[in-house]
Amino acid sequence: MESTETNGKIRIRDGRAEDIPVVLGMFDSAVAWLAAQGRTRQWGTTPWSENPKAVEMITRYFAEGSPYIAEYDGVPAATLTLTDAPGPYLAPVDEPERYIHILASDRRFKGSGTGAALLAHAAAETRRAGISLLRVDCYAGDDRKLVAFYESNGFTPTETFTVSVPGDDDWPGQVLARRL
C-alpha cells in the first residue's frame, strides 16, 4: 500500500531508502529532547545520525522490513517499521506476528497524532496480512511514559526484559502486545 490518508493533515506512506536521513533526523530530534530533560538512558546523548550502529540498524530495518512514514501537512513527521519478528534480544513467539520497530517522531510534531496514526496503520496492515498478533517493545525506565503511550493505543504489557549495556547501566525494556 503506497499511501493512506488518516485525516486531513496526516498521510501514511511507504518508506523508501531516501527517507533514511530524514528518519535519522527524527531520532536526532528525540535524543536531543530526551537529553535536555536529563533522560539519557533511553537513547543516550549522541545523535543517531552520528552513531554508526544506529545508522546501520535503521538502514537494515528499511531494507528487511516494511517502513512507513507519517507525513503531517506533507512533511515527514514520524516513522515505524514492521517486520515478522522481534529484535535479536527477544525470543520470537510460536505464532505468526508482526513486530513494530523504530517508532519515532520529530519532536516538532509532538501531540499531532502521527505516532498513533502509525500504530493504527500497523494494526491495519497486520490484519490485512491475516495475522492477529502485533507486538512492540520499548524503553521501560524512568517514568514509563512510553509504556503508557502504547497502552493508550491498545497494547497490553506482556513481559519485561533487560539488555546488558557494557560499561553502562542495563537497559530496561517492556514488550507489549495487541490482539487484532
Side-chain angles (χ1 to χ4, degrees):
M1 168 176 276
E2 177 56 32
S3 176
T4 301
E5 197 75 33
T6 61
N7 69 30
K9 294 190 176 275
I10 299 172
R11 180 177 80 101
I12 309 294
R13 66 169 174 81
D14 293 343
R16 302 176 293 269
E18 57 265 24
D19 291 315
I20 292 172
V22 172
V23 168
L24 288 165
M26 291 175 192
F27 278 94
D28 289 352
S29 165
V31 167
W33 179 76
L34 289 166
Q37 296 180 43
R39 298 169 58 187
T40 59
R41 287 189 61 213
Q42 182 174 344
W43 289 336
T45 58
T46 302
W48 277 38
S49 60
E50 297 174 15
N51 179 336
K53 287 183 180 181
V55 172
E56 186 277 327
M57 179 182 68
I58 299 290
T59 302
R60 179 174 32 85
Y61 279 131
F62 262 66
E64 297 173 0
S66 298
Y68 298 101
I69 303 291
E71 294 180 342
Y72 190 85
D73 275 345
V75 178
T79 187
L80 69 68
T81 296
L82 277 179
T83 69
D84 294 335
Y89 46 89
L90 292 173
V93 293
D94 60 356
E95 67 177 288
E97 72 174 317
R98 288 294 184 266
Y99 209 92
I100 295 170
H101 299 273
I102 64 170
L103 173 64
S105 64
D106 184 313
R107 296 311 300 171
R108 294 176 300 164
F109 297 94
K110 180 182 184 320
S112 67
T114 55
L118 278 168
L119 291 175
H121 184 76
E125 289 297 311
T126 300
R127 270 191 226 96
R128 196 176 344 274
I131 296 172
S132 62
L133 178 61
L134 179 61
R135 292 197 310 155
V136 65
D137 65 76
C138 67
Y139 178 69
D142 299 326
D143 56 15
R144 294 181 56 89
K145 280 186 178 179
L146 194 49
V147 173
F149 168 74
Y150 285 111
E151 288 176 313
S152 72
N153 281 278
F155 288 82
T156 302
T158 58
E159 64 186 272
T160 59
F161 65 97
T162 303
V163 176
S164 294
V165 181
D168 204 352
D169 292 334
D170 289 343
W171 194 89
Q174 176 72 59
V175 178
L176 298 102
R178 182 173 171 192
R179 287 282 171 190
L180 306 169

Coordinates of all heavy atoms in Angstrom, one line a residue, residues 1-73:
M1 N 0.9 -1.2 0.0 CA 0.0 0.0 0.0 C 0.9 1.2 0.0 O 1.8 1.4 0.8 CB -0.9 0.0 1.2 CG -1.6 1.3 1.5 SD -2.7 1.2 2.9 CE -4.1 0.5 2.1
E2 N 0.7 2.1 -0.9 CA 1.6 3.3 -1.0 C 1.2 4.4 -0.1 O 2.0 5.0 0.5 CB 1.5 3.8 -2.5 CG 2.4 5.0 -2.7 CD 3.8 5.0 -2.3 OE1 4.4 3.9 -2.4 OE2 4.4 6.0 -1.9
S3 N -0.1 4.7 0.1 CA -0.5 5.8 0.9 C -1.8 5.6 1.6 O -2.7 5.1 0.9 CB -0.5 7.1 0.1 OG -0.9 8.2 0.8
T4 N -2.0 6.1 2.8 CA -3.2 6.0 3.5 C -3.5 7.4 4.1 O -2.6 7.9 4.8 CB -3.3 5.0 4.6 OG1 -3.0 3.7 4.0 CG2 -4.6 4.9 5.3
E5 N -4.6 8.0 3.8 CA -5.0 9.3 4.4 C -5.7 9.0 5.7 O -6.6 8.2 5.8 CB -5.9 10.0 3.5 CG -6.1 11.5 3.8 CD -4.9 12.3 3.3 OE1 -4.3 12.0 2.3 OE2 -4.6 13.3 4.0
T6 N -5.2 9.5 6.9 CA -5.8 9.2 8.2 C -6.7 10.4 8.6 O -7.6 10.2 9.4 CB -4.7 8.9 9.2 OG1 -3.9 10.1 9.4 CG2 -3.9 7.7 8.9
N7 N -6.4 11.6 8.2 CA -7.2 12.7 8.4 C -6.8 13.8 7.4 O -5.9 13.5 6.6 CB -7.2 13.2 9.9 CG -5.9 13.8 10.3 OD1 -5.2 14.4 9.5 ND2 -5.6 13.7 11.6
G8 N -7.2 15.0 7.5 CA -6.9 16.0 6.6 C -5.4 16.4 6.6 O -4.9 16.9 5.7
K9 N -4.7 16.1 7.7 CA -3.3 16.6 7.9 C -2.3 15.4 7.8 O -1.2 15.6 7.5 CB -3.2 17.4 9.1 CG -4.0 18.7 9.1 CD -3.6 19.5 10.3 CE -4.3 20.9 10.3 NZ -3.6 21.8 9.5
I10 N -2.7 14.2 8.2 CA -1.8 13.1 8.3 C -2.0 12.1 7.2 O -3.1 11.7 6.9 CB -2.0 12.4 9.7 CG1 -1.7 13.3 10.9 CG2 -1.0 11.2 9.8 CD1 -2.0 12.7 12.2
R11 N -0.9 11.8 6.5 CA -0.9 10.8 5.5 C 0.2 9.8 5.8 O 1.3 10.2 6.1 CB -0.6 11.5 4.1 CG -0.6 10.5 2.9 CD -0.4 11.2 1.6 NE 1.0 11.6 1.4 CZ 1.9 10.9 0.6 NH1 1.4 9.8 0.0 NH2 3.1 11.3 0.5
I12 N -0.1 8.5 5.7 CA 0.9 7.4 5.9 C 1.3 6.9 4.6 O 0.4 6.6 3.7 CB 0.3 6.3 6.7 CG1 -0.4 6.7 8.0 CG2 1.4 5.2 7.0 CD1 0.5 7.3 9.0
R13 N 2.6 6.8 4.3 CA 3.1 6.3 3.1 C 4.2 5.3 3.3 O 4.8 5.3 4.4 CB 3.6 7.4 2.2 CG 4.8 8.2 2.7 CD 5.4 9.1 1.6 NE 6.4 9.9 2.1 CZ 7.7 9.5 2.3 NH1 8.1 8.3 2.0 NH2 8.6 10.3 2.8
D14 N 4.5 4.5 2.3 CA 5.6 3.6 2.4 C 6.9 4.4 2.5 O 7.1 5.4 1.9 CB 5.7 2.7 1.2 CG 4.5 1.7 1.1 OD1 3.8 1.5 2.1 OD2 4.3 1.2 0.0
G15 N 7.8 3.9 3.4 CA 9.1 4.5 3.5 C 10.0 4.0 2.3 O 9.8 2.9 1.8
R16 N 11.0 4.8 2.0 CA 11.9 4.5 0.9 C 13.4 4.7 1.4 O 13.5 5.5 2.4 CB 11.7 5.3 -0.3 CG 10.2 5.1 -0.9 CD 10.0 6.1 -2.1 NE 9.9 7.5 -1.7 CZ 8.9 8.1 -1.3 NH1 7.7 7.5 -1.2 NH2 8.9 9.4 -1.0
A17 N 14.3 4.1 0.8 CA 15.7 4.3 1.2 C 16.1 5.8 1.3 O 16.9 6.2 2.2 CB 16.7 3.6 0.2
E18 N 15.6 6.6 0.4 CA 15.9 8.0 0.5 C 15.3 8.7 1.7 O 15.7 9.9 2.1 CB 15.5 8.8 -0.8 CG 14.1 8.7 -1.1 CD 13.7 7.6 -2.1 OE1 14.5 6.6 -2.2 OE2 12.7 7.7 -2.8
D19 N 14.5 8.0 2.5 CA 13.9 8.6 3.7 C 14.9 8.4 4.9 O 14.6 9.0 6.0 CB 12.6 7.9 4.1 CG 11.5 8.3 3.1 OD1 11.4 9.5 2.8 OD2 10.7 7.4 2.7
I20 N 15.9 7.5 4.8 CA 16.7 7.2 5.9 C 17.3 8.4 6.6 O 17.3 8.6 7.8 CB 17.8 6.2 5.5 CG1 17.1 4.8 5.2 CG2 18.9 6.0 6.6 CD1 18.0 3.7 4.7
P21 N 17.9 9.4 5.8 CA 18.4 10.6 6.5 C 17.3 11.4 7.3 O 17.6 11.9 8.4 CB 19.0 11.5 5.4 CG 19.3 10.5 4.3 CD 18.2 9.4 4.4
V22 N 16.1 11.4 6.8 CA 15.0 12.1 7.5 C 14.7 11.3 8.8 O 14.5 12.0 9.8 CB 13.8 12.2 6.6 CG1 12.6 12.7 7.3 CG2 14.1 13.1 5.4
V23 N 14.6 10.0 8.7 CA 14.4 9.2 9.9 C 15.4 9.4 10.9 O 15.2 9.5 12.1 CB 14.2 7.7 9.5 CG1 14.2 6.8 10.7 CG2 12.9 7.6 8.7
L24 N 16.7 9.4 10.5 CA 17.8 9.7 11.4 C 17.6 11.0 12.1 O 17.9 11.2 13.3 CB 19.1 9.5 10.8 CG 19.5 8.1 10.4 CD1 20.7 8.1 9.4 CD2 19.9 7.3 11.7
G25 N 17.1 12.0 11.3 CA 16.9 13.3 11.9 C 15.7 13.3 12.9 O 15.8 14.0 13.9
M26 N 14.7 12.4 12.7 CA 13.7 12.2 13.7 C 14.3 11.7 15.0 O 13.9 12.2 16.1 CB 12.6 11.3 13.2 CG 11.8 11.8 12.1 SD 10.7 10.5 11.5 CE 10.1 11.2 10.0
F27 N 15.1 10.7 14.9 CA 15.8 10.2 16.1 C 16.7 11.2 16.8 O 16.8 11.3 18.0 CB 16.5 8.9 15.8 CG 15.6 7.7 15.8 CD1 15.1 7.3 14.6 CD2 15.3 7.0 16.9 CE1 14.2 6.2 14.6 CE2 14.5 5.9 16.9 CZ 13.9 5.5 15.8
D28 N 17.4 12.0 15.9 CA 18.3 13.1 16.5 C 17.5 14.0 17.3 O 17.8 14.5 18.4 CB 19.0 13.8 15.4 CG 20.1 13.0 14.7 OD1 20.4 11.9 15.2 OD2 20.6 13.5 13.7
S29 N 16.3 14.4 16.8 CA 15.4 15.3 17.5 C 14.9 14.7 18.8 O 14.9 15.4 19.8 CB 14.2 15.6 16.6 OG 13.1 16.1 17.3
A30 N 14.6 13.4 18.8 CA 14.2 12.8 20.0 C 15.3 12.7 21.1 O 15.1 12.9 22.3 CB 13.6 11.4 19.7
V31 N 16.5 12.3 20.6 CA 17.6 12.2 21.5 C 17.9 13.6 22.2 O 18.1 13.7 23.4 CB 18.9 11.7 20.8 CG1 20.2 11.9 21.6 CG2 18.7 10.2 20.4
A32 N 17.9 14.6 21.4 CA 18.2 16.0 21.9 C 17.1 16.4 22.9 O 17.4 16.9 24.0 CB 18.2 17.0 20.8
W33 N 15.8 16.0 22.7 CA 14.7 16.3 23.6 C 14.9 15.6 24.9 O 14.7 16.1 26.0 CB 13.4 16.0 22.9 CG 12.2 16.3 23.7 CD1 11.6 17.4 24.0 CD2 11.4 15.2 24.3 NE1 10.5 17.2 24.8 CE2 10.4 15.9 25.0 CE3 11.5 13.9 24.4 CZ2 9.4 15.2 25.7 CZ3 10.5 13.2 25.1 CH2 9.5 13.9 25.8
L34 N 15.2 14.3 24.8 CA 15.3 13.5 26.0 C 16.5 13.9 26.8 O 16.5 14.0 28.0 CB 15.5 12.0 25.6 CG 14.3 11.3 25.1 CD1 14.6 9.9 24.4 CD2 13.3 11.1 26.2
A35 N 17.6 14.2 26.1 CA 18.9 14.7 26.8 C 18.6 16.0 27.5 O 19.1 16.2 28.6 CB 20.0 14.8 25.8
A36 N 17.8 16.9 26.9 CA 17.5 18.2 27.5 C 16.8 18.0 28.8 O 16.8 18.9 29.7 CB 16.8 19.1 26.6
Q37 N 16.1 16.9 29.0 CA 15.3 16.6 30.2 C 16.1 15.8 31.1 O 15.6 15.4 32.2 CB 14.0 15.8 29.8 CG 13.1 16.6 29.0 CD 11.8 15.8 28.7 OE1 11.3 15.1 29.6 NE2 11.4 15.9 27.5
G38 N 17.4 15.5 30.8 CA 18.2 14.6 31.6 C 17.9 13.1 31.5 O 18.3 12.3 32.4
R39 N 17.1 12.8 30.5 CA 16.7 11.4 30.3 C 17.5 10.7 29.2 O 17.1 10.5 28.1 CB 15.2 11.4 29.9 CG 14.3 12.0 31.0 CD 12.9 12.2 30.6 NE 12.3 11.0 30.1 CZ 11.1 10.9 29.5 NH1 10.4 12.0 29.3 NH2 10.6 9.8 29.2
T40 N 18.8 10.4 29.6 CA 19.7 9.9 28.6 C 19.8 8.4 28.6 O 20.5 7.9 27.7 CB 21.1 10.5 28.9 OG1 21.5 10.1 30.2 CG2 21.1 12.0 28.8
R41 N 19.2 7.7 29.5 CA 19.3 6.2 29.5 C 18.6 5.5 28.3 O 19.0 4.5 27.8 CB 18.8 5.6 30.8 CG 19.7 5.9 31.9 CD 19.3 5.2 33.2 NE 19.4 3.7 33.0 CZ 18.6 2.9 33.6 NH1 17.7 3.3 34.4 NH2 18.7 1.6 33.4
Q42 N 17.6 6.2 27.8 CA 16.8 5.5 26.7 C 17.7 5.4 25.4 O 17.8 4.4 24.9 CB 15.5 6.3 26.4 CG 14.7 5.7 25.3 CD 13.4 6.3 25.1 OE1 12.9 7.1 25.9 NE2 12.7 6.0 24.0
W43 N 18.2 6.6 24.9 CA 18.9 6.6 23.7 C 20.2 7.3 23.7 O 20.8 7.6 22.7 CB 18.0 7.2 22.5 CG 16.9 6.3 22.1 CD1 16.8 5.0 22.2 CD2 15.7 6.7 21.5 NE1 15.6 4.5 21.7 CE2 14.9 5.6 21.2 CE3 15.2 8.0 21.1 CZ2 13.7 5.7 20.6 CZ3 14.0 8.0 20.4 CH2 13.3 6.9 20.2
G44 N 20.7 7.6 24.9 CA 22.0 8.3 25.1 C 21.9 9.7 24.7 O 20.9 10.4 24.8
T45 N 23.1 10.3 24.4 CA 23.2 11.7 24.1 C 23.8 12.0 22.7 O 23.7 13.1 22.2 CB 24.2 12.4 25.1 OG1 25.4 11.8 25.0 CG2 23.6 12.3 26.5
T46 N 24.3 10.9 22.0 CA 24.9 11.1 20.7 C 23.7 11.1 19.6 O 22.9 10.1 19.6 CB 25.9 10.0 20.4 OG1 26.9 10.0 21.4 CG2 26.5 10.1 19.0
P47 N 23.7 12.0 18.7 CA 22.7 12.0 17.7 C 22.8 10.7 16.9 O 23.9 10.2 16.6 CB 23.0 13.2 16.8 CG 23.8 14.1 17.7 CD 24.5 13.2 18.6
W48 N 21.7 10.1 16.5 CA 21.7 8.8 15.8 C 22.4 8.9 14.5 O 23.1 8.0 14.0 CB 20.3 8.2 15.7 CG 19.8 7.5 16.9 CD1 20.1 7.8 18.2 CD2 19.0 6.3 16.9 NE1 19.5 6.9 19.0 CE2 18.8 6.0 18.3 CE3 18.5 5.6 16.0 CZ2 18.1 4.9 18.7 CZ3 17.7 4.5 16.3 CH2 17.5 4.1 17.7
S49 N 22.3 10.1 13.9 CA 23.0 10.3 12.6 C 24.5 10.2 12.7 O 25.2 10.0 11.7 CB 22.5 11.6 11.9 OG 22.9 12.7 12.8
E50 N 25.0 10.3 13.9 CA 26.5 10.3 14.1 C 26.9 8.9 14.7 O 28.1 8.7 15.0 CB 26.9 11.4 15.0 CG 26.7 12.8 14.4 CD 26.9 13.9 15.4 OE1 27.6 13.7 16.5 OE2 26.5 15.0 15.1
N51 N 25.9 8.0 14.9 CA 26.2 6.7 15.6 C 26.2 5.6 14.5 O 25.1 5.3 14.0 CB 25.1 6.5 16.6 CG 25.3 5.2 17.3 OD1 25.9 4.2 16.8 ND2 24.8 5.1 18.5
P52 N 27.3 5.1 14.1 CA 27.3 4.1 13.0 C 26.4 2.9 13.3 O 25.8 2.4 12.3 CB 28.8 3.6 13.0 CG 29.6 4.8 13.5 CD 28.7 5.4 14.6
K53 N 26.3 2.4 14.5 CA 25.4 1.3 14.8 C 24.0 1.7 14.6 O 23.2 0.9 14.1 CB 25.6 0.8 16.3 CG 26.9 0.1 16.5 CD 27.0 -0.4 17.9 CE 28.3 -1.2 18.1 NZ 28.5 -1.7 19.4
A54 N 23.6 2.9 15.0 CA 22.2 3.3 14.8 C 21.9 3.5 13.3 O 20.8 3.1 12.8 CB 21.9 4.6 15.5
V55 N 22.8 4.0 12.5 CA 22.7 4.2 11.1 C 22.5 2.8 10.4 O 21.6 2.6 9.6 CB 23.8 5.0 10.4 CG1 23.7 5.0 8.9 CG2 23.9 6.4 11.0
E56 N 23.3 1.9 10.8 CA 23.2 0.5 10.3 C 21.9 -0.1 10.6 O 21.3 -0.8 9.8 CB 24.4 -0.3 10.8 CG 24.5 -1.7 10.2 CD 23.6 -2.7 10.8 OE1 23.3 -2.7 12.0 OE2 23.1 -3.6 10.1
M57 N 21.4 0.1 11.8 CA 20.2 -0.5 12.3 C 19.0 0.0 11.4 O 18.2 -0.7 10.9 CB 19.9 -0.3 13.8 CG 18.6 -0.9 14.2 SD 18.2 -0.6 16.0 CE 18.0 1.2 16.0
I58 N 18.9 1.4 11.3 CA 17.9 2.0 10.5 C 17.9 1.5 9.1 O 16.9 1.1 8.5 CB 18.0 3.5 10.6 CG1 17.8 4.0 12.0 CG2 17.0 4.2 9.6 CD1 16.5 3.9 12.6
T59 N 19.1 1.4 8.5 CA 19.3 1.0 7.1 C 18.8 -0.4 7.0 O 18.1 -0.8 6.0 CB 20.8 1.2 6.7 OG1 21.1 2.5 6.9 CG2 21.0 0.7 5.2
R60 N 19.2 -1.3 7.9 CA 18.8 -2.7 7.9 C 17.3 -2.9 8.0 O 16.7 -3.6 7.2 CB 19.5 -3.5 9.0 CG 19.1 -5.0 9.0 CD 19.9 -5.8 10.0 NE 20.3 -5.1 11.2 CZ 19.6 -4.9 12.3 NH1 18.4 -5.5 12.4 NH2 20.0 -4.3 13.4
Y61 N 16.6 -2.2 8.9 CA 15.2 -2.3 9.0 C 14.5 -1.8 7.8 O 13.5 -2.3 7.4 CB 14.7 -1.5 10.3 CG 14.8 -2.3 11.6 CD1 15.4 -1.7 12.7 CD2 14.4 -3.6 11.6 CE1 15.5 -2.5 13.9 CE2 14.5 -4.4 12.8 CZ 15.1 -3.8 13.9 OH 15.2 -4.5 15.1
F62 N 15.0 -0.7 7.2 CA 14.4 -0.2 5.9 C 14.5 -1.3 4.8 O 13.6 -1.4 4.0 CB 15.0 1.1 5.5 CG 14.2 2.3 5.9 CD1 14.0 2.6 7.2 CD2 13.6 3.1 5.0 CE1 13.3 3.7 7.6 CE2 12.8 4.2 5.3 CZ 12.7 4.5 6.7
A63 N 15.7 -2.0 4.8 CA 15.9 -3.0 3.7 C 15.1 -4.3 4.0 O 14.6 -4.9 3.1 CB 17.4 -3.3 3.6
E64 N 15.0 -4.7 5.3 CA 14.4 -6.0 5.6 C 12.9 -5.9 6.0 O 12.2 -6.9 6.0 CB 15.2 -6.7 6.7 CG 16.6 -7.0 6.3 CD 17.5 -7.5 7.4 OE1 17.0 -7.6 8.6 OE2 18.7 -7.7 7.2
G65 N 12.5 -4.8 6.4 CA 11.1 -4.7 6.9 C 10.2 -3.8 6.0 O 10.5 -3.6 4.8
S66 N 9.1 -3.4 6.5 CA 8.1 -2.6 5.8 C 8.1 -1.2 6.5 O 7.4 -1.1 7.5 CB 6.8 -3.2 5.8 OG 6.8 -4.5 5.1
P67 N 8.9 -0.3 6.1 CA 8.9 1.0 6.8 C 7.8 1.9 6.3 O 7.3 1.8 5.2 CB 10.3 1.6 6.3 CG 10.6 1.0 5.0 CD 9.9 -0.4 5.0
Y68 N 7.3 2.7 7.2 CA 6.2 3.7 6.9 C 6.6 5.0 7.5 O 7.3 5.1 8.5 CB 4.9 3.2 7.6 CG 4.4 1.9 7.1 CD1 4.6 0.7 7.8 CD2 3.8 1.8 5.8 CE1 4.2 -0.5 7.3 CE2 3.4 0.6 5.3 CZ 3.6 -0.6 6.1 OH 3.2 -1.8 5.6
I69 N 6.2 6.0 6.8 CA 6.4 7.4 7.2 C 5.0 8.1 7.3 O 4.2 8.0 6.4 CB 7.2 8.2 6.1 CG1 8.5 7.5 5.8 CG2 7.4 9.7 6.5 CD1 9.6 7.6 6.9
A70 N 4.8 8.8 8.4 CA 3.7 9.6 8.6 C 4.1 11.0 8.3 O 5.0 11.6 8.8 CB 3.2 9.6 10.1
E71 N 3.4 11.6 7.3 CA 3.6 13.0 6.9 C 2.5 13.8 7.6 O 1.3 13.4 7.6 CB 3.6 13.2 5.4 CG 4.7 12.5 4.7 CD 4.7 12.6 3.2 OE1 3.6 13.0 2.7 OE2 5.7 12.4 2.6
Y72 N 2.9 15.0 8.1 CA 1.9 15.9 8.6 C 2.0 17.2 7.7 O 3.0 17.8 7.6 CB 2.3 16.3 10.1 CG 1.2 17.1 10.8 CD1 0.2 16.4 11.4 CD2 1.2 18.5 10.8 CE1 -0.8 17.1 12.0 CE2 0.3 19.2 11.4 CZ -0.8 18.5 12.1 OH -1.8 19.2 12.7
D73 N 0.9 17.5 7.1 CA 0.8 18.6 6.1 C 2.0 18.4 5.1 O 2.6 19.4 4.7 CB 0.9 19.9 6.8 CG -0.5 20.4 7.3 OD1 -1.5 19.9 6.8 OD2 -0.5 21.4 8.1

